[in-house]
Amino acid sequence: ERVCRQFLQQHKHQPDAMMLLAEIGIQMKVYHDAEFLLESCIALYPDNQRAVSLYLGLLAKLGKHDLIERQVMALPATVQNST
């Protein structure tokens, strides 16, 4: 986690690092941080299907079904057709 955070400090908004840190957060049950990271990653990279998938999976795990519906409706058509 520490190494990933240090990397992100030098390479702000690098999507793979953001997703990795979110996955670490999910494993450590730090869901708020993971949710924020994935939400930010999707805002910056809306076509990143892996980020969308991780985010929707986390929202489902947290029982945030209303957010899932809103997120799916806001996705670009290219991502909606492949999820």
Side-chain angles (χ1 to χ4, degrees), residues 7-60:
F7 179 85
L8 275 171
Q9 286 176 346
Q10 295 178 9
H11 303 92
K12 303 239 185 260
H13 309 302
Q14 204 285 339
D16 291 324
M18 293 173 80
M19 289 183 287
L20 178 59
L21 189 56
E23 288 179 296
I24 292 168
I26 292 167
Q27 289 176 1
M28 296 174 61
K29 297 184 171 95
V30 185
Y31 299 125
H32 179 72
D33 286 351
E35 185 176 354
F36 175 77
L37 281 163
L38 292 171
E39 186 176 22
S40 299
C41 190
I42 290 170
L44 294 166
Y45 307 99
D47 292 330
N48 190 314
Q49 294 177 11
R50 183 169 165 248
V52 170
S53 178
L54 287 170
Y55 184 55
L56 294 177
L58 176 59
L59 292 177

